[in-house]
Structures are given as C-alpha cells and as structure tokens.
Amino acid sequence: MTLEPAAAGPPARGRFVTFEGGEGAGKSTQIRLLADRLEALELRAIVTREPGGSPGAEIIRHVVLSGMGKLLGPEAETLLFAAARDDHVHAVIEPALAQGIWVLCDRFADSTRAYQGSLGQVAPAVLNAMERVTIGRLKPDLTFILDIPVEIGMQRAAARRGAGAPDRFEAEDIQFHQQLREAFRQIAATEPQRCVLIDANADAATVAAQIRTALRERLLVNETRPETASA
Ligand code: Z5A
C-alpha cells in the first residue's frame, strides 16, 4: 500500500499499532493478518518494521543485525537503533498517521526498552533522552505484546531460518531470551492502557482472534461496517 496525498481538510489521524515480543513469537505473521483484516474493513493501513522501515533505517538495520553495532558497545548500539527510528518516524510513520493511514509496526520503542534497557543495561535516562529526540510525543495507540515460551519461539525461528546463520540477537543464549520475555511481560504489566499481552502459544488463527477482539475493544473498530468510530 502506498501513501496518498492528503485530501482537502485534515483527515482524522491514523492509528499507530505496534507488535512486540521475543524471538519467533509470530509478530510478522499476525501483522500481515491484521493488515488484511483492516483492508477488508476498507481502512487504509501500512505495515512497517523496526529496525528499518525507511531507506535510511534499512541501512542501519543491516549494520545492527550483522553484529557490527555490538562491537561498538551497548550505548553506541542503542544510538544506532535510535538513528534508525528517527528516520523511520519522520519519513514514514508521522506522514502516514497525518494522512489518516493506520501504521502497523513490527517492533518499536518497547524493543529498545527490553533489549537495550533491561538486557543491555543501558540506563533509563539515556533511553529517555533518545526517545525525546526520536519520537517526541508519539506513542502507539495500542501495543500487542506476543508472549510465548522461549523454547517454542526459538524452535519456530530456527525452523524458519533453516540452514541460515542466526543474526546478532538470535545468537544470544536461552537465558537472554528468558529475561527478554520477562522484560516484555513487565512492560505489559506497567502500561495496561496501551499494552495487551497476547498468548501467542496457539495456532495463528487463534492468536489473530485475540488480537481482533482487543482491537475492537481498545480502538472501537466496528467490524460490521467498513469504517471505524474514533476512540
Ligand atoms: N531490536 C533491538 O534490539 N532494539 C530495537 O529497538 C529494535 C529491535 C526495534 C530485529 O529482528 C531484531 O532487532 C530483534 C530485536 C532487535 N531481535 N531478534 N531476534 P528481526 O526483525 O529480524 O526479527 P524479529 O522481530 O525478532 O522477529 P522474528 O523472531 O523473526 O519472528 P516473528 O516476526 O515474531 O515471527 P514470524 O516471522 O511471524 O514467525 C516465525 C515462524 O513461526 C515462521 O516460520 C511462522 O510461519 C511461524 N509461526 C508464526 N506464527 C505461528 C503460530 N501461531 N504457530 C506456529 N507457527 C507459527
């Protein structure tokens, strides 16, 4: 889907929905299913991801997932994620929302909080400062945190990867992934208005049904008419 020029008069702002969670939780699968659902409801939506989502940020994605960012140390690696986010927010996310387009984003600032904050031990003050610069007051309207036992998520990711080499984060040990799961669960518990914890240890259709229910309840999406009431 492409961004369209704004029509006369300001359109209602689009909704910003993010998907978070550990390895192999099924974020990409669920984001595609939700995009199809929104399209069926005649809601304009784009699917994007972090790190990446804009040409500049995709270059940085290559650097961090190759492991080169790790060599620079936790704070510098966090700066790389922040630089990617800054480009993505300004080039893609904000313009889409301003045109009334929904933005479905595979990972966002909660991933920095979990991976670089809880796991990488980058200080909250540093993360706060980077958020002020990159996202300002932008916050997801709704965040789905896909929760899955670590062993199952890692099995799914390994099956999808096949003979390919694990990336910088996939290569971390099981303890890292267990702590990561806890960090995401903690975010969900701390911000229940914004976050919905989804049991992702089920078949894709069952997980998608949980997501649609939460979307209906949280963002008042009317599934019987091709339009949405505002929350
Ligand atoms: N990172 C960071 O450190 N800091 C940041 O600020 C940000 C990111 C933004 C990006 O990785 C990495 O960057 C990420 C965190 C870090 N670390 N890792 N690893 P990525 O974008 O390459 O990948 P990912 O975001 O971690 O996603 P994923 O692990 O690749 O998977 P997923 O999107 O959650 O799952 P999926 O691709 O939908 O499904 C995985 C497989 O399982 C696939 O074969 C599916 O067909 C299958 N699947 C999906 N759902 C099901 C169900 N329900 N049942 C059975 N099988 C299923």
Side-chain angles (χ1 to χ4, degrees):
M1 275 168 266
T2 51
L3 304 188
E4 292 168 14
R13 192 171 160 83
R15 297 308 183 98
F16 183 30
V17 181
T18 57
F19 286 69
E20 299 277 7
E23 187 71 9
K27 298 176 300 300
S28 313
T29 302
Q30 292 303 324
I31 224 169
R32 280 193 302 271
L33 291 173
L34 183 58
D36 291 346
R37 185 70 197 149
L38 294 182
E39 198 174 332
L41 294 171
E42 295 180 20
L43 287 165
R44 292 188 303 164
I46 57 166
V47 171
T48 188
R49 68 172 179 186
E50 290 207 352
S54 60
E58 287 292 328
I59 294 169
I60 298 174
R61 176 185 175 89
H62 177 71
V63 173
V64 283
L65 294 190
S66 71
M68 280 188 281
K70 186 178 182 182
L71 301 175
L72 304 175
E75 291 189 350
E77 188 181 39
T78 307
L79 280 170
L80 289 174
F81 281 108
R85 182 160 302 133
D86 189 66
D87 192 54
H88 186 213
V89 165
H90 293 100
V92 174
I93 298 176
E94 281 291 7
L97 295 174
Q99 290 179 54
I101 297 169
W102 286 51
V103 176
L104 309 182
C105 191
D106 194 340
R107 297 195 181 280
F108 193 61
D110 293 317
S111 281
T112 310
R113 293 268 164 193
Y115 281 84
Q116 283 67 51
S118 302
L119 276 294
Q121 296 182 340
V122 175
V126 174
L127 298 180
N128 290 342
M130 288 187 199
E131 280 188 10
R132 267 201 304 281
V133 173
T134 57
I135 63 180
R137 288 205 221 133
L138 175 67
K139 249 195 182 259
D141 296 296
L142 183 58
T143 296
F144 293 111
I145 298 192
L146 272 55
D147 183 54
I148 193 166
V150 167
E151 296 78 5
I152 293 174
M154 290 179 85
Q155 277 164 19
R156 283 186 190 172
R160 185 201 43 204
R161 191 166 64 238
D167 70 28
R168 180 250 182 275
F169 294 98
E170 290 167 344
E172 296 283 357
D173 64 20
I174 192 150
Q175 197 191 353
F176 175 96
H177 290 283
Q178 260 148 2
Q179 287 171 0
L180 187 65
R181 183 183 186 197
E182 272 321 302
F184 278 120
R185 290 172 68 92
Q186 187 61 44
I187 289 170
T190 308
E191 288 190 70
Q193 278 94 354
R194 174 174 67 87
C195 300
V196 181
L197 191 71
I198 297 287
D199 176 6
N201 190 14
D203 61 85
T206 303
V207 179
Q210 290 181 62
I211 288 173
R212 285 210 309 275
T213 300
L215 193 83
R216 213 165 34 236
E217 291 170 359
R218 299 295 186 103
L219 297 187
L220 304 183
V221 172
N222 184 339
E223 295 223 24
T224 60
R225 286 181 296 133
E227 59 188 33
T228 179
S230 57

mmCIF file of all heavy atoms in Angstrom, residues 10-52:
data_model
loop_
_atom_site.group_PDB
_atom_site.id
_atom_site.type_symbol
_atom_site.label_atom_id
_atom_site.label_comp_id
_atom_site.label_asym_id
_atom_site.label_seq_id
_atom_site.Cartn_x
_atom_site.Cartn_y
_atom_site.Cartn_z
ATOM 1 N N PRO A 10 -8.159 18.431 6.970
ATOM 2 C CA PRO A 10 -7.317 17.433 7.643
ATOM 3 C C PRO A 10 -8.089 16.150 7.926
ATOM 4 O O PRO A 10 -9.175 16.208 8.512
ATOM 5 C CB PRO A 10 -6.922 18.147 8.944
ATOM 6 C CG PRO A 10 -7.934 19.218 9.138
ATOM 7 C CD PRO A 10 -8.529 19.550 7.816
ATOM 8 N N PRO A 11 -7.572 14.996 7.490
ATOM 9 C CA PRO A 11 -8.247 13.737 7.802
ATOM 10 C C PRO A 11 -8.053 13.389 9.270
ATOM 11 O O PRO A 11 -7.136 13.898 9.915
ATOM 12 C CB PRO A 11 -7.523 12.730 6.913
ATOM 13 C CG PRO A 11 -6.169 13.308 6.700
ATOM 14 C CD PRO A 11 -6.309 14.801 6.776
ATOM 15 N N ALA A 12 -8.921 12.520 9.810
ATOM 16 C CA ALA A 12 -8.709 12.039 11.182
ATOM 17 C C ALA A 12 -7.374 11.303 11.209
ATOM 18 O O ALA A 12 -7.029 10.599 10.254
ATOM 19 C CB ALA A 12 -9.835 11.096 11.571
ATOM 20 N N ARG A 13 -6.628 11.510 12.260
ATOM 21 C CA ARG A 13 -5.311 10.888 12.351
ATOM 22 C C ARG A 13 -5.447 9.360 12.331
ATOM 23 O O ARG A 13 -6.391 8.793 12.904
ATOM 24 C CB ARG A 13 -4.665 11.357 13.658
ATOM 25 C CG ARG A 13 -3.213 11.053 13.783
ATOM 26 C CD ARG A 13 -2.676 11.778 15.019
ATOM 27 N NE ARG A 13 -1.428 11.185 15.468
ATOM 28 C CZ ARG A 13 -0.237 11.479 14.955
ATOM 29 N NH1 ARG A 13 -0.143 12.350 13.972
ATOM 30 N NH2 ARG A 13 0.862 10.909 15.423
ATOM 31 N N GLY A 14 -4.490 8.710 11.668
ATOM 32 C CA GLY A 14 -4.473 7.247 11.661
ATOM 33 C C GLY A 14 -4.114 6.704 13.031
ATOM 34 O O GLY A 14 -3.687 7.447 13.918
ATOM 35 N N ARG A 15 -4.284 5.419 13.183
ATOM 36 C CA ARG A 15 -3.937 4.762 14.446
ATOM 37 C C ARG A 15 -2.576 4.097 14.313
ATOM 38 O O ARG A 15 -2.251 3.544 13.248
ATOM 39 C CB ARG A 15 -4.994 3.726 14.816
ATOM 40 C CG ARG A 15 -6.368 4.325 15.065
ATOM 41 C CD ARG A 15 -6.249 5.466 16.071
ATOM 42 N NE ARG A 15 -7.553 6.003 16.373
ATOM 43 C CZ ARG A 15 -8.262 5.651 17.449
ATOM 44 N NH1 ARG A 15 -7.789 4.786 18.302
ATOM 45 N NH2 ARG A 15 -9.438 6.184 17.657
ATOM 46 N N PHE A 16 -1.846 4.155 15.426
ATOM 47 C CA PHE A 16 -0.494 3.599 15.444
ATOM 48 C C PHE A 16 -0.507 2.349 16.332
ATOM 49 O O PHE A 16 -0.730 2.452 17.544
ATOM 50 C CB PHE A 16 0.466 4.670 15.969
ATOM 51 C CG PHE A 16 1.913 4.281 15.974
ATOM 52 C CD1 PHE A 16 2.430 3.389 15.033
ATOM 53 C CD2 PHE A 16 2.789 4.828 16.904
ATOM 54 C CE1 PHE A 16 3.773 3.043 15.031
ATOM 55 C CE2 PHE A 16 4.129 4.499 16.905
ATOM 56 C CZ PHE A 16 4.614 3.600 15.972
ATOM 57 N N VAL A 17 -0.306 1.195 15.700
ATOM 58 C CA VAL A 17 -0.389 -0.074 16.424
ATOM 59 C C VAL A 17 0.950 -0.798 16.299
ATOM 60 O O VAL A 17 1.451 -1.000 15.174
ATOM 61 C CB VAL A 17 -1.516 -0.961 15.842
ATOM 62 C CG1 VAL A 17 -1.617 -2.277 16.604
ATOM 63 C CG2 VAL A 17 -2.859 -0.219 15.885
ATOM 64 N N THR A 18 1.524 -1.173 17.427
ATOM 65 C CA THR A 18 2.823 -1.844 17.388
ATOM 66 C C THR A 18 2.710 -3.277 17.895
ATOM 67 O O THR A 18 1.826 -3.602 18.690
ATOM 68 C CB THR A 18 3.879 -1.067 18.213
ATOM 69 O OG1 THR A 18 3.424 -0.930 19.558
ATOM 70 C CG2 THR A 18 4.117 0.306 17.635
ATOM 71 N N PHE A 19 3.613 -4.109 17.401
ATOM 72 C CA PHE A 19 3.688 -5.521 17.790
ATOM 73 C C PHE A 19 5.061 -5.752 18.406
ATOM 74 O O PHE A 19 6.075 -5.399 17.808
ATOM 75 C CB PHE A 19 3.511 -6.433 16.572
ATOM 76 C CG PHE A 19 2.089 -6.501 16.086
ATOM 77 C CD1 PHE A 19 1.486 -5.399 15.501
ATOM 78 C CD2 PHE A 19 1.357 -7.664 16.226
ATOM 79 C CE1 PHE A 19 0.169 -5.451 15.066
ATOM 80 C CE2 PHE A 19 0.042 -7.732 15.790
ATOM 81 C CZ PHE A 19 -0.558 -6.624 15.215
ATOM 82 N N GLU A 20 5.061 -6.358 19.576
ATOM 83 C CA GLU A 20 6.329 -6.589 20.277
ATOM 84 C C GLU A 20 6.370 -8.020 20.797
ATOM 85 O O GLU A 20 5.334 -8.696 20.861
ATOM 86 C CB GLU A 20 6.442 -5.617 21.476
ATOM 87 C CG GLU A 20 6.435 -4.137 21.110
ATOM 88 C CD GLU A 20 7.808 -3.611 20.676
ATOM 89 O OE1 GLU A 20 8.751 -4.418 20.534
ATOM 90 O OE2 GLU A 20 7.930 -2.393 20.465
ATOM 91 N N GLY A 21 7.539 -8.449 21.208
ATOM 92 C CA GLY A 21 7.682 -9.782 21.777
ATOM 93 C C GLY A 21 9.018 -10.388 21.398
ATOM 94 O O GLY A 21 9.808 -9.779 20.672
ATOM 95 N N GLY A 22 9.248 -11.580 21.918
ATOM 96 C CA GLY A 22 10.544 -12.225 21.703
ATOM 97 C C GLY A 22 10.619 -12.928 20.364
ATOM 98 O O GLY A 22 9.717 -12.836 19.520
ATOM 99 N N GLU A 23 11.693 -13.603 20.241
ATOM 100 C CA GLU A 23 12.040 -14.379 19.050
ATOM 101 C C GLU A 23 10.924 -15.348 18.614
ATOM 102 O O GLU A 23 10.408 -16.102 19.443
ATOM 103 C CB GLU A 23 13.262 -15.201 19.498
ATOM 104 C CG GLU A 23 13.952 -15.983 18.477
ATOM 105 C CD GLU A 23 14.691 -15.057 17.559
ATOM 106 O OE1 GLU A 23 14.777 -13.846 17.839
ATOM 107 O OE2 GLU A 23 15.137 -15.539 16.550
ATOM 108 N N GLY A 24 10.561 -15.317 17.338
ATOM 109 C CA GLY A 24 9.614 -16.302 16.804
ATOM 110 C C GLY A 24 8.223 -16.259 17.405
ATOM 111 O O GLY A 24 7.456 -17.218 17.298
ATOM 112 N N ALA A 25 7.861 -15.137 18.021
ATOM 113 C CA ALA A 25 6.543 -15.062 18.681
ATOM 114 C C ALA A 25 5.399 -15.009 17.666
ATOM 115 O O ALA A 25 4.249 -15.267 18.021
ATOM 116 C CB ALA A 25 6.491 -13.845 19.600
ATOM 117 N N GLY A 26 5.710 -14.637 16.416
ATOM 118 C CA GLY A 26 4.674 -14.594 15.389
ATOM 119 C C GLY A 26 4.221 -13.184 15.047
ATOM 120 O O GLY A 26 3.157 -12.997 14.458
ATOM 121 N N LYS A 27 5.055 -12.192 15.348
ATOM 122 C CA LYS A 27 4.667 -10.797 15.095
ATOM 123 C C LYS A 27 4.403 -10.537 13.610
ATOM 124 O O LYS A 27 3.383 -9.956 13.250
ATOM 125 C CB LYS A 27 5.769 -9.840 15.594
ATOM 126 C CG LYS A 27 6.029 -9.925 17.076
ATOM 127 C CD LYS A 27 7.197 -9.038 17.500
ATOM 128 C CE LYS A 27 8.499 -9.400 16.836
ATOM 129 N NZ LYS A 27 8.975 -10.777 17.106
ATOM 130 N N SER A 28 5.357 -10.964 12.774
ATOM 131 C CA SER A 28 5.205 -10.684 11.333
ATOM 132 C C SER A 28 3.963 -11.377 10.782
ATOM 133 O O SER A 28 3.234 -10.804 9.970
ATOM 134 C CB SER A 28 6.433 -11.161 10.558
ATOM 135 O OG SER A 28 7.598 -10.740 11.205
ATOM 136 N N THR A 29 3.713 -12.590 11.235
ATOM 137 C CA THR A 29 2.531 -13.338 10.784
ATOM 138 C C THR A 29 1.262 -12.583 11.182
ATOM 139 O O THR A 29 0.355 -12.368 10.371
ATOM 140 C CB THR A 29 2.529 -14.738 11.446
ATOM 141 O OG1 THR A 29 3.750 -15.396 11.100
ATOM 142 C CG2 THR A 29 1.329 -15.560 11.002
ATOM 143 N N GLN A 30 1.203 -12.144 12.427
ATOM 144 C CA GLN A 30 -0.014 -11.501 12.921
ATOM 145 C C GLN A 30 -0.213 -10.110 12.323
ATOM 146 O O GLN A 30 -1.340 -9.671 12.111
ATOM 147 C CB GLN A 30 0.009 -11.429 14.457
ATOM 148 C CG GLN A 30 -0.100 -12.790 15.117
ATOM 149 C CD GLN A 30 -1.370 -13.547 14.695
ATOM 150 O OE1 GLN A 30 -2.427 -12.947 14.489
ATOM 151 N NE2 GLN A 30 -1.275 -14.858 14.568
ATOM 152 N N ILE A 31 0.862 -9.429 12.065
ATOM 153 C CA ILE A 31 0.743 -8.081 11.497
ATOM 154 C C ILE A 31 0.152 -8.179 10.084
ATOM 155 O O ILE A 31 -0.690 -7.372 9.688
ATOM 156 C CB ILE A 31 2.121 -7.374 11.527
ATOM 157 C CG1 ILE A 31 1.979 -5.956 12.002
ATOM 158 C CG2 ILE A 31 2.827 -7.390 10.231
ATOM 159 C CD1 ILE A 31 3.287 -5.286 12.318
ATOM 160 N N ARG A 32 0.554 -9.205 9.347
ATOM 161 C CA ARG A 32 0.003 -9.391 7.997
ATOM 162 C C ARG A 32 -1.491 -9.724 8.066
ATOM 163 O O ARG A 32 -2.292 -9.210 7.293
ATOM 164 C CB ARG A 32 0.754 -10.509 7.257
ATOM 165 C CG ARG A 32 2.091 -10.048 6.670
ATOM 166 C CD ARG A 32 2.635 -11.068 5.687
ATOM 167 N NE ARG A 32 2.821 -12.375 6.297
ATOM 168 C CZ ARG A 32 3.938 -12.775 6.913
ATOM 169 N NH1 ARG A 32 4.961 -11.962 6.988
ATOM 170 N NH2 ARG A 32 4.027 -13.986 7.434
ATOM 171 N N LEU A 33 -1.850 -10.585 9.022
ATOM 172 C CA LEU A 33 -3.266 -10.954 9.162
ATOM 173 C C LEU A 33 -4.100 -9.728 9.545
ATOM 174 O O LEU A 33 -5.210 -9.531 9.039
ATOM 175 C CB LEU A 33 -3.432 -12.060 10.227
ATOM 176 C CG LEU A 33 -2.867 -13.434 9.827
ATOM 177 C CD1 LEU A 33 -2.916 -14.404 11.010
ATOM 178 C CD2 LEU A 33 -3.646 -14.007 8.641
ATOM 179 N N LEU A 34 -3.552 -8.891 10.421
ATOM 180 C CA LEU A 34 -4.312 -7.696 10.817
ATOM 181 C C LEU A 34 -4.420 -6.710 9.649
ATOM 182 O O LEU A 34 -5.483 -6.097 9.448
ATOM 183 C CB LEU A 34 -3.663 -7.024 12.036
ATOM 184 C CG LEU A 34 -4.434 -5.816 12.567
ATOM 185 C CD1 LEU A 34 -5.866 -6.179 12.972
ATOM 186 C CD2 LEU A 34 -3.712 -5.181 13.753
ATOM 187 N N ALA A 35 -3.354 -6.583 8.886
ATOM 188 C CA ALA A 35 -3.411 -5.680 7.721
ATOM 189 C C ALA A 35 -4.495 -6.147 6.744
ATOM 190 O O ALA A 35 -5.260 -5.331 6.212
ATOM 191 C CB ALA A 35 -2.049 -5.638 7.023
ATOM 192 N N ASP A 36 -4.592 -7.458 6.540
ATOM 193 C CA ASP A 36 -5.641 -7.989 5.649
ATOM 194 C C ASP A 36 -7.021 -7.667 6.201
ATOM 195 O O ASP A 36 -7.941 -7.309 5.466
ATOM 196 C CB ASP A 36 -5.516 -9.523 5.516
ATOM 197 C CG ASP A 36 -4.271 -9.924 4.744
ATOM 198 O OD1 ASP A 36 -3.661 -9.039 4.101
ATOM 199 O OD2 ASP A 36 -3.900 -11.112 4.802
ATOM 200 N N ARG A 37 -7.138 -7.782 7.506
ATOM 201 C CA ARG A 37 -8.426 -7.521 8.157
ATOM 202 C C ARG A 37 -8.822 -6.048 7.994
ATOM 203 O O ARG A 37 -9.961 -5.715 7.682
ATOM 204 C CB ARG A 37 -8.311 -7.885 9.643
ATOM 205 C CG ARG A 37 -9.573 -7.784 10.411
ATOM 206 C CD ARG A 37 -10.544 -8.874 10.001
ATOM 207 N NE ARG A 37 -11.884 -8.537 10.447
ATOM 208 C CZ ARG A 37 -12.985 -8.896 9.804
ATOM 209 N NH1 ARG A 37 -12.922 -9.593 8.699
ATOM 210 N NH2 ARG A 37 -14.160 -8.569 10.278
ATOM 211 N N LEU A 38 -7.856 -5.163 8.191
ATOM 212 C CA LEU A 38 -8.153 -3.731 8.061
ATOM 213 C C LEU A 38 -8.512 -3.391 6.616
ATOM 214 O O LEU A 38 -9.417 -2.588 6.362
ATOM 215 C CB LEU A 38 -6.961 -2.890 8.534
ATOM 216 C CG LEU A 38 -6.630 -2.994 10.032
ATOM 217 C CD1 LEU A 38 -5.456 -2.080 10.377
ATOM 218 C CD2 LEU A 38 -7.826 -2.644 10.911
ATOM 219 N N GLU A 39 -7.837 -4.041 5.689
ATOM 220 C CA GLU A 39 -8.137 -3.797 4.281
ATOM 221 C C GLU A 39 -9.576 -4.235 3.978
ATOM 222 O O GLU A 39 -10.310 -3.529 3.277
ATOM 223 C CB GLU A 39 -7.151 -4.566 3.406
ATOM 224 C CG GLU A 39 -7.117 -4.050 1.999
ATOM 225 C CD GLU A 39 -6.015 -4.720 1.171
ATOM 226 O OE1 GLU A 39 -5.003 -5.155 1.738
ATOM 227 O OE2 GLU A 39 -6.210 -4.802 -0.049
ATOM 228 N N ALA A 40 -9.975 -5.382 4.546
ATOM 229 C CA ALA A 40 -11.347 -5.864 4.331
ATOM 230 C C ALA A 40 -12.364 -4.877 4.914
ATOM 231 O O ALA A 40 -13.487 -4.771 4.426
ATOM 232 C CB ALA A 40 -11.527 -7.233 4.968
ATOM 233 N N LEU A 41 -11.928 -4.150 5.941
ATOM 234 C CA LEU A 41 -12.810 -3.149 6.556
ATOM 235 C C LEU A 41 -12.682 -1.787 5.866
ATOM 236 O O LEU A 41 -13.219 -0.782 6.348
ATOM 237 C CB LEU A 41 -12.476 -2.993 8.047
ATOM 238 C CG LEU A 41 -12.761 -4.222 8.921
ATOM 239 C CD1 LEU A 41 -12.177 -4.031 10.323
ATOM 240 C CD2 LEU A 41 -14.257 -4.484 9.010
ATOM 241 N N GLU A 42 -11.916 -1.777 4.772
ATOM 242 C CA GLU A 42 -11.695 -0.555 3.992
ATOM 243 C C GLU A 42 -11.010 0.548 4.790
ATOM 244 O O GLU A 42 -11.302 1.728 4.639
ATOM 245 C CB GLU A 42 -13.007 -0.057 3.366
ATOM 246 C CG GLU A 42 -13.548 -1.046 2.342
ATOM 247 C CD GLU A 42 -14.845 -0.604 1.692
ATOM 248 O OE1 GLU A 42 -15.143 0.599 1.726
ATOM 249 O OE2 GLU A 42 -15.555 -1.472 1.154
ATOM 250 N N LEU A 43 -10.126 0.105 5.691
ATOM 251 C CA LEU A 43 -9.295 1.058 6.423
ATOM 252 C C LEU A 43 -7.915 1.076 5.769
ATOM 253 O O LEU A 43 -7.342 0.008 5.519
ATOM 254 C CB LEU A 43 -9.164 0.634 7.888
ATOM 255 C CG LEU A 43 -10.416 0.835 8.734
ATOM 256 C CD1 LEU A 43 -10.305 0.068 10.038
ATOM 257 C CD2 LEU A 43 -10.628 2.314 9.013
ATOM 258 N N ARG A 44 -7.403 2.254 5.485
ATOM 259 C CA ARG A 44 -6.079 2.343 4.864
ATOM 260 C C ARG A 44 -5.013 2.066 5.920
ATOM 261 O O ARG A 44 -5.049 2.646 7.017
ATOM 262 C CB ARG A 44 -5.862 3.728 4.262
ATOM 263 C CG ARG A 44 -6.767 3.986 3.068
ATOM 264 C CD ARG A 44 -6.393 5.278 2.379
ATOM 265 N NE ARG A 44 -6.443 6.412 3.283
ATOM 266 C CZ ARG A 44 -5.886 7.590 3.033
ATOM 267 N NH1 ARG A 44 -5.198 7.778 1.931
ATOM 268 N NH2 ARG A 44 -6.004 8.578 3.883
ATOM 269 N N ALA A 45 -4.067 1.174 5.584
ATOM 270 C CA ALA A 45 -3.026 0.818 6.553
ATOM 271 C C ALA A 45 -1.728 0.505 5.839
ATOM 272 O O ALA A 45 -1.732 0.023 4.701
ATOM 273 C CB ALA A 45 -3.472 -0.400 7.367
ATOM 274 N N ILE A 46 -0.618 0.783 6.510
ATOM 275 C CA ILE A 46 0.678 0.318 6.016
ATOM 276 C C ILE A 46 1.306 -0.582 7.076
ATOM 277 O O ILE A 46 1.047 -0.417 8.272
ATOM 278 C CB ILE A 46 1.647 1.468 5.662
ATOM 279 C CG1 ILE A 46 1.884 2.387 6.868
ATOM 280 C CG2 ILE A 46 1.157 2.253 4.467
ATOM 281 C CD1 ILE A 46 3.079 3.323 6.674
ATOM 282 N N VAL A 47 2.117 -1.515 6.607
ATOM 283 C CA VAL A 47 2.875 -2.390 7.503
ATOM 284 C C VAL A 47 4.333 -1.977 7.411
ATOM 285 O O VAL A 47 4.874 -1.807 6.321
ATOM 286 C CB VAL A 47 2.721 -3.867 7.074
ATOM 287 C CG1 VAL A 47 3.682 -4.749 7.861
ATOM 288 C CG2 VAL A 47 1.282 -4.322 7.263
ATOM 289 N N THR A 48 4.956 -1.791 8.560
ATOM 290 C CA THR A 48 6.361 -1.405 8.548
ATOM 291 C C THR A 48 7.072 -2.109 9.705
ATOM 292 O O THR A 48 6.446 -2.899 10.425
ATOM 293 C CB THR A 48 6.482 0.134 8.579
ATOM 294 O OG1 THR A 48 7.841 0.497 8.390
ATOM 295 C CG2 THR A 48 5.946 0.731 9.875
ATOM 296 N N ARG A 49 8.367 -1.866 9.848
ATOM 297 C CA ARG A 49 9.111 -2.625 10.867
ATOM 298 C C ARG A 49 10.276 -1.821 11.406
ATOM 299 O O ARG A 49 10.727 -0.854 10.796
ATOM 300 C CB ARG A 49 9.651 -3.908 10.251
ATOM 301 C CG ARG A 49 10.743 -3.647 9.206
ATOM 302 C CD ARG A 49 11.377 -4.929 8.762
ATOM 303 N NE ARG A 49 12.415 -4.694 7.748
ATOM 304 C CZ ARG A 49 13.050 -5.663 7.109
ATOM 305 N NH1 ARG A 49 12.760 -6.915 7.359
ATOM 306 N NH2 ARG A 49 13.990 -5.383 6.218
ATOM 307 N N GLU A 50 10.769 -2.260 12.559
ATOM 308 C CA GLU A 50 11.998 -1.694 13.118
ATOM 309 C C GLU A 50 12.909 -2.828 13.580
ATOM 310 O O GLU A 50 12.388 -3.852 14.039
ATOM 311 C CB GLU A 50 11.675 -0.769 14.286
ATOM 312 C CG GLU A 50 11.003 0.507 13.825
ATOM 313 C CD GLU A 50 11.233 1.679 14.766
ATOM 314 O OE1 GLU A 50 11.788 1.473 15.862
ATOM 315 O OE2 GLU A 50 10.884 2.798 14.388
ATOM 316 N N PRO A 51 14.225 -2.663 13.521
ATOM 317 C CA PRO A 51 14.850 -1.526 12.862
ATOM 318 C C PRO A 51 14.590 -1.610 11.356
ATOM 319 O O PRO A 51 14.538 -2.693 10.796
ATOM 320 C CB PRO A 51 16.337 -1.697 13.183
ATOM 321 C CG PRO A 51 16.516 -3.160 13.432
ATOM 322 C CD PRO A 51 15.229 -3.632 14.024
ATOM 323 N N GLY A 52 14.412 -0.439 10.750
ATOM 324 C CA GLY A 52 14.169 -0.390 9.316
ATOM 325 C C GLY A 52 12.922 0.399 9.018
ATOM 326 O O GLY A 52 12.519 1.275 9.770
#
